[in-house]
Amino acid sequence: MKEKNSLNTKGMISVCLAAHNGSRYIKRQVESILQQLGDNDELIISDDGSTDNTLNIVEAFADNRIKIVKFKQPDNNVKVSIKVALNFQNALIHAKGDFIFLSDQDDFWLPTKVEDCMRILMNCDLVVHNFRLCDEELRFTGVNQYRGNYHFNDYLALCNTYYGCTMAFSKHVLSYALPFPQKLELHDFWLGIISESLGRVLYIDKPLIDYRVQNTSVSHASNYSLIHKISYRMYILKHLILRVVKFKIKLLCQKF
């Protein structure tokens, strides 16, 4: 068995997990994450006002790698999807690592996730991996999500092809991804397309997590109208262009 310190020789890892009333599954997820982290890595859990036993479960680990940060909720009128994005942003703001992994509260990391992602991250800015669709008891349904057919460049696609729970990236991605656009509903889509625009994205076809499909999942996608999907993509595209231009002007100024 590898020693914890040997799991990460390239830099500090921060795992950013957004939590909200996740007591049913969060213990097993945290266990699967901590087993792959080194002594100097961290698991940042941004909690969105959980009213169940979530925080007690996390605190019971008594692991100094776990950092709990409270998410100050916006107005009640804000959409749930926007709150989720802001909750992840809160975790990202507190991340100190050189490499960042995103995590949902109800999945399960397969044993080589960190090792496989870190190997690819040496040659890119952001990596996305395949995952196994499972039922609520983590029984594999027989379906891998991407099935070898993954497209990065369709910015205006009417479905999100990025899943945050399958993403890891270098911290410098945050220098152009944060702060999120005010009305951002899909943090993973934003991180993916802005990394494509200003960096290099690679895909691992190997499934590295068990993705739990459940009706109560915080990350469960909502069914939006076609008009909403189109207007939302236009909104994101506008902010993507503005952010890319701003970042490139900044780089240009640094040369003089």
Side-chain angles (χ1 to χ4, degrees):
M1 182 177 178
K2 296 181 180 180
E3 296 180 0
K4 289 181 181 178
N5 283 325
S6 67
L7 291 175
N8 175 23
T9 59
K10 304 297 183 180
M12 179 182 177
I13 290 172
S14 294
V15 179
C16 292
L17 186 155
H20 175 71
N21 290 342
S23 61
R24 186 176 179 185
Y25 302 118
I26 199 168
K27 180 178 179 180
R28 189 173 183 189
Q29 171 67 316
V30 170
E31 288 174 343
S32 72
I33 293 171
L34 292 178
Q35 290 172 0
Q36 300 186 51
L37 297 185
D39 294 334
N40 297 320
D41 298 330
E42 62 181 4
L43 168 58
I44 300 172
I45 298 177
S46 180
D47 182 71
D48 180 13
S50 292
T51 56
D52 62 1
N53 206 33
T54 295
L55 292 181
N56 291 333
I57 292 171
V58 172
E59 290 168 351
F61 279 93
D63 193 312
N64 58 15
R65 292 173 295 175
I66 297 177
K67 314 291 193 309
I68 299 174
V69 294
K70 299 295 181 66
F71 170 56
K72 185 177 180 181
Q73 298 185 34
D75 296 336
N76 292 331
N77 293 330
V78 175
K79 292 181 180 180
V80 172
S81 54
I82 295 178
K83 288 183 179 180
V84 172
L86 291 174
N87 197 11
F88 270 106
Q89 177 173 253
N90 187 51
L92 291 169
I93 289 171
H94 289 85
K96 298 178 180 178
D98 304 293
F99 301 95
I100 297 172
F101 287 68
L102 299 185
S103 173
D104 290 339
Q105 64 185 4
D106 52 2
D107 299 326
F108 181 82
W109 284 19
L110 298 176
T112 65
K113 174 180 167 79
V114 170
E115 182 179 354
D116 289 342
C117 286
M118 288 297 296
R119 186 183 306 112
I120 302 300
L121 275 174
M122 296 303 100
N123 298 301
C124 67
D125 301 280
L126 183 145
V127 62
V128 187
H129 61 73
N130 209 334
F131 60 90
R132 309 195 312 169
L133 289 175
C134 299
D135 64 14
E136 292 194 14
E137 301 306 318
L138 283 185
R139 293 183 292 249
F140 181 40
T141 63
V143 177
N144 291 335
Q145 179 62 23
Y146 295 125
R147 303 180 217 177
N149 183 21
Y150 191 86
H151 302 284
F152 290 110
N153 296 317
D154 192 2
Y155 295 159
L156 302 181
L158 297 182
C159 60
N160 180 22
T161 53
Y162 283 102
Y163 292 81
C165 56
T166 71
M167 299 171 69
F169 48 90
S170 299
K171 188 176 184 179
H172 72 261
V173 168
L174 298 182
S175 66
Y176 46 76
L178 295 182
F180 289 159
Q182 187 176 7
K183 297 180 182 179
L184 184 72
E185 297 181 15
L186 299 170
H187 64 283
D188 38 17
F189 182 70
W190 172 254
L191 288 165
I193 63 172
I194 201 167
S195 294
E196 286 184 39
S197 302
L198 292 169
R200 186 185 186 201
V201 177
L202 293 178
Y203 168 63
I204 304 174
D205 190 47
K206 179 181 178 182
L208 295 178
I209 67 167
D210 284 339
Y211 181 90
R212 194 190 307 265
V213 178
Q214 52 164 327
N215 292 330
T216 58
S217 174
V218 171
S219 60
H220 185 68
S222 300
N223 294 319
Y224 293 121
S225 68
L226 180 62
I227 293 176
H228 175 87
K229 290 179 178 180
I230 293 174
S231 62
Y232 177 74
R233 290 310 192 269
M234 294 299 100
Y235 172 81
I236 292 300
L237 183 60
K238 181 187 78 171
H239 282 273
L240 175 66
I241 293 171
L242 291 173
R243 194 66 62 91
V244 169
V245 170
K246 180 180 178 180
F247 187 78
K248 290 190 174 182
I249 290 175
K250 180 180 177 181
L251 291 179
L252 185 62
C253 291
Q254 290 175 350
K255 293 181 179 179
F256 296 96

